Amino acid sequence: MRRAAGTTGGDNGDHDWWRDAVVYQIYVRSFADSSGDGVGDLDGIRGRLGYLELLGVDAIWLTPFFRSPMADHGYDVADPRDVDPLFGDLNAFDGLVAEAHERGMRVVVDLVPNHTSDAHEWFVAARNAAPGSPERDRYILRDGTGPDGAAPPNNWTSIFGGNAWTRLDDGQWYLHLFSPEQPDLNWENPEVWADLERTLRCWLDRGVDGFRIDVAHGMAKPPGLPDMVEPIEPQHGLLPDDVEDRRFDAEGVHDIHRMIRKVLDEYVGRLAVGEIWVTSDVAFGRYVRPDELHQGFNFRLAAADFDAADLRRAIDHSLAAVGDTGASPTWTLSNHDVVREVTRYGGGELGVRRARAMTLVALALPGSVYVYNGAELGLPQVELPDDALQDPVWERSGHTERGRDGARVPVPWEGAEPPYGFSMTAATWLPMPSDWADLTVAAQLEDPDSMLSLYRRALELRREHAAPDDAALEWHGAPEGCLAFHRDAGSLVCALNTSPVAVPLPPGDVLLASGPLPDDERVLPPETAAWLSPASA
Ligand code: GLC
């Protein structure tokens, strides 16, 4: 059993609590709305902490709740050291942290160091200042190319579609790897470093247990901003493999992570986990060297198909990527940027069956697991009408990419119709489907066969059968289309069948299965995973 977090930021001796933690990602806009404006908020989260305790997670990660014009729903930060009034205030934040700690859960907050909002006072000043001024030096501004400098400084495209450069009235261009409302900071400017350090200390002193670092492979840019080798298609999901992308993963980024780590090391038990969309295992491993990030999100499992061979490859790569760095691996099936797993695996009953099986796989692996809110309810991606879409990707792509809103629809808590207890108003910031009555938390708590009941039982068993977090994973021989592994001698065995036929179950007592097992035969049906006891394995 994991020890409870202390009330002052988890300083209780369990210093590297994250190594095998289950971290629950809260998309703040969509978790619980206490104010009745249709948007989730900090008091809403506080009111639902009992649920998270019941679910059995070790920590929560809050997506950005800082002051922001919300062009990218909070990933455009105008003041990184204050709470946006839409979500509450600093008192509400302190109250949330204190209560989470009392309930034994850590709190991780998002940090967005690659860019600010264009409404940040620095960018307002940069816009109003002259080319070459210190104000402009905090961002990446350049003269254009071609006649009158009317063409952008290089061929970089924005991740959200379109050009990565926008021209100011006086003719200079500024870089934004995301939307034009998110100008990239110039990490060659010492003021930028000093400001991030201030932000880190501000939240560390308020008791947060760690940071999720947005675009942790961004920030530093290659000298001279060379053209991209070939324009890479706009991405808002998983990056393609084996493509060199000059916009990201510049060598200088590692110095920034060393600075972050140094600050965190002055405190006890504080985590830095980076969002790292790099392709090679070697490149990934460099982010989690002993003096850099403690962990990085590895998205390979989420990118893999529901296919044993593909999954095994993803797992092997994720383990190889942390290699001998000493960092623990991380696993995630989804987050607010990717299509929800139920839909990715085929949707409908098939998608649910597969997502249930994958939940048992992820939770059996060594390292920590990040669970995106609503995954524990088996929420599907929602098909939203065009006029409801809010993700900047929709506009930026000229209405060719629908963006990420379908994964961000508010969480249904109880009741038969929208807003299902999420808010007092049915006019929620994204509309909630009318057929979610069976997916609410209340409905699923009652049902022993629900996705929520599976998660609760799995998290309980995971704690009971905790293996040393540095235990190596061992693969068992398995029939075609199947995989089976355990973490160490004392840990449970996980078996998965992605093939269309039932296969014999490995030895051991079945502790938990993702779907019904026949009474009269020891087999693992298709699209099913099972955990088996180690004793008789
Ligand atoms: C990260 C976030 C994503 C955001 C982007 C820009 O990828 O997860 O939601 O849009 O960074 O900050």
Side-chain angles (χ1 to χ4, degrees):
M1 224 6 165
R2 153 166 309 288
R3 278 160 288 182
T7 50
T8 54
D11 177 9
N12 66 352
D14 193 5
H15 293 167
D16 49 5
W17 57 269
W18 53 81
R19 292 188 63 88
D20 62 353
V22 175
V23 183
Y24 185 89
Q25 177 191 354
I26 295 183
Y27 193 69
V28 177
R29 295 181 77 82
S30 298
F31 190 65
D33 170 24
S34 72
S35 67
D37 62 0
V39 180
D41 49 45
L42 298 180
D43 279 344
I45 298 169
R46 186 170 175 184
R48 297 290 187 182
L49 285 176
Y51 165 69
L52 297 174
E53 202 179 347
L54 190 76
L55 178 59
V57 299
D58 302 304
I60 54 177
W61 149 31
L62 306 174
T63 57
F65 50 81
F66 317 111
R67 275 191 188 268
S68 163
M70 308 288 164
D72 187 19
H73 296 133
Y75 282 98
D76 49 320
V77 180
D79 181 349
R81 295 181 283 272
D82 199 4
V83 174
D84 195 279
L86 187 64
F87 300 130
D89 56 21
L90 284 167
N91 279 335
F93 178 77
D94 291 342
L96 171 57
V97 172
E99 191 173 334
H101 285 167
E102 277 160 27
R103 290 176 181 270
M105 286 178 278
R106 262 74 179 203
V107 180
V108 173
V109 301
D110 229 299
L111 196 69
V112 190
N114 180 70
H115 44 264
T116 68
S117 160
D118 63 346
H120 188 289
E121 60 178 0
W122 276 5
F123 195 75
V124 174
R127 205 187 265 282
N128 293 330
S133 60
E135 287 83 358
R136 289 216 167 168
D137 189 54
R138 295 175 184 136
Y139 294 90
I140 302 180
L141 284 118
R142 296 283 186 277
D143 293 331
T145 53
D148 304 326
N154 70 15
N155 71 352
W156 290 11
T157 49
S158 151
I159 299 295
F160 291 164
N163 209 287
W165 296 91
T166 290
R167 202 171 193 194
L168 295 177
D169 290 344
D170 59 29
Q172 276 211 316
W173 297 77
Y174 70 90
L175 177 71
H176 52 86
L177 290 181
F178 296 89
S179 74
E181 293 87 0
Q182 293 164 295
D184 279 52
L185 284 161
N186 172 19
W187 277 91
E188 286 176 18
N189 184 324
E191 275 188 87
V192 173
W193 289 65
D195 193 69
L196 182 68
E197 185 171 340
R198 233 182 112 196
T199 302
L200 288 167
R201 291 188 192 281
C202 154
W203 298 109
L204 289 166
D205 292 339
R206 292 200 105 91
V208 306
D209 301 284
F211 299 94
R212 175 266 187 187
I213 299 171
D214 191 61
V215 200
H217 57 317
M219 301 179 277
K221 308 292 185 284
L225 305 180
D227 272 348
M228 287 158 73
V229 180
E230 55 190 82
I232 295 166
E233 282 304 300
Q235 296 292 324
H236 52 87
L238 300 163
L239 286 184
D241 240 354
D242 306 326
V243 177
E244 183 202 350
D245 189 337
R246 291 187 173 162
R247 298 168 299 178
F248 296 104
D249 197 31
E251 183 54 35
V253 81
H254 296 286
D255 291 333
I256 303 169
H257 291 308
R258 286 191 192 99
M259 179 275 271
I260 293 174
R261 179 59 180 266
K262 247 187 156 149
V263 174
L264 263 59
D265 281 350
E266 288 178 32
Y267 296 74
V268 180
R270 314 299 172 100
L271 159 75
V273 54
E275 181 200 27
I276 306 170
W277 295 101
V278 297
T279 48
S280 86
D281 295 345
V282 173
F284 186 96
R286 300 176 73 230
Y287 286 81
V288 291
R289 287 177 287 197
D291 60 346
E292 296 195 36
L293 299 169
H294 299 99
Q295 286 189 328
F297 288 127
N298 198 315
F299 296 104
R300 282 190 185 265
L301 194 63
D305 290 336
F306 187 78
D307 167 79
D310 205 26
L311 291 165
R312 185 168 164 165
R313 238 185 334 267
I315 293 167
D316 278 337
H317 273 293
S318 304
L319 294 171
V322 291
D324 52 13
T325 58
S328 59
T330 67
W331 311 97
T332 184
L333 295 177
S334 56
N335 65 24
H336 63 294
D337 292 329
V338 304
V339 174
R340 282 197 178 274
E341 56 266 46
V342 163
T343 306
R344 246 184 17 241
Y345 296 138
E349 274 177 33
L350 177 74
V352 171
R353 244 189 351 263
R354 290 174 168 179
R356 289 174 66 99
M358 285 305 299
T359 297
L360 293 197
V361 172
L363 288 172
L365 289 164
S368 47
V369 181
Y370 286 77
V371 178
Y372 177 45
N373 63 203
E376 83 282 16
L377 304 175
L379 297 186
Q381 190 83 358
V382 178
E383 292 279 344
L384 292 162
D386 289 4
D387 61 2
L389 295 179
Q390 304 205 20
D391 187 346
V393 168
W394 175 237
E395 287 302 325
R396 297 274 307 163
S397 68
H399 295 184
T400 57
E401 299 278 340
R402 302 190 73 73
R404 304 159 293 179
D405 293 319
R408 299 173 174 182
V409 170
V411 168
W413 291 94
E414 66 228 347
E417 57 196 34
Y420 303 104
F422 162 74
S423 172
M424 277 93 84
T425 173
T428 50
W429 77 279
L430 289 173
M432 301 176 72
S434 55
D435 61 353
W436 272 12
D438 294 342
L439 292 178
T440 64
V441 169
Q444 296 203 35
L445 282 174
E446 299 288 305
D447 174 5
D449 295 327
S450 68
M451 181 72 120
L452 180 54
S453 297
L454 179 75
Y455 259 92
R456 286 180 65 195
R457 183 71 189 122
L459 290 175
E460 202 173 48
L461 282 170
R462 181 181 156 98
R463 281 191 298 275
E464 280 168 24
H465 292 263
D469 51 42
D470 53 357
L473 179 144
E474 270 184 51
W475 292 108
H476 298 206
E480 180 77 24
C482 299
L483 58 79
F485 63 88
H486 70 258
R487 285 168 63 176
D488 81 347
S491 77
L492 48 80
V493 172
C494 176
L496 168 74
N497 181 2
T498 66
S499 84
V501 293
V503 297
L505 266 173
D509 297 334
V510 175
L511 300 171
L512 185 62
S514 65
L517 300 182
D519 290 333
D520 51 347
E521 242 185 325
R522 251 192 86 81
V523 294
L524 186 61
E527 269 118 25
T528 307
W531 285 0
L532 300 114
S533 67
S536 45

